[in-house]
Amino acid sequence: MGTTGPRITITYCTQCQWLLRAGWMAQELLNTFGCDLGEVALIPGTGGVFQVTAGEHLVWDRERDGGFPDIVTLKQRVRDVVDPDRDLGHGDRSTRA
């Protein structure tokens, strides 16, 4: 049974063939946050879109943020919405005080 955690959406451009990238990022988020997420949804789009939301928060936008996130950055931004006190391990330590 699922939790009441936030819904993560990854909207990706089908014209640009970014499904594989979106699916991999979804898998990484599920591996990291597990049942703390309500769901992870992949939403097909067009026009070069690549956006990730956590609940009502836009955590990544390819146009706004300049390209694609590395996975550590994406996990940090999702963590900041889902569970700000969570330690993401060794990749996270250099960015947190």
Side-chain angles (χ1 to χ4, degrees):
M1 185 167 272
T3 67
T4 58
R7 178 179 198 243
I8 305 298
T9 63
I10 302 174
T11 304
Y12 65 95
C13 180
T14 58
Q15 296 166 316
C16 301
Q17 300 182 7
W18 290 336
L19 173 60
L20 188 59
R21 180 187 309 254
W24 173 73
M25 289 186 178
Q27 178 182 337
E28 286 291 319
L29 293 174
L30 286 166
N31 281 333
T32 299
F33 297 101
C35 291
D36 292 333
L37 301 178
E39 70 177 301
V40 177
L42 299 177
I43 302 172
T46 58
V49 66
F50 195 90
Q51 295 179 332
V52 181
T53 64
E56 300 296 318
H57 303 276
L58 179 62
V59 297
W60 190 270
D61 181 279
R62 188 185 69 82
E63 192 171 304
R64 177 192 74 188
D65 296 309
F68 297 97
D70 62 76
I71 200 61
V72 171
T73 300
L74 182 60
K75 288 179 182 183
Q76 289 168 339
R77 291 189 181 190
V78 169
R79 181 268 323 272
D80 290 347
V81 174
V82 172
D83 184 2
D85 294 326
R86 178 184 291 226
D87 181 3
L88 294 175
H90 69 276
D92 192 37
R93 291 193 183 107
S94 63
T95 62
R96 296 186 81 168

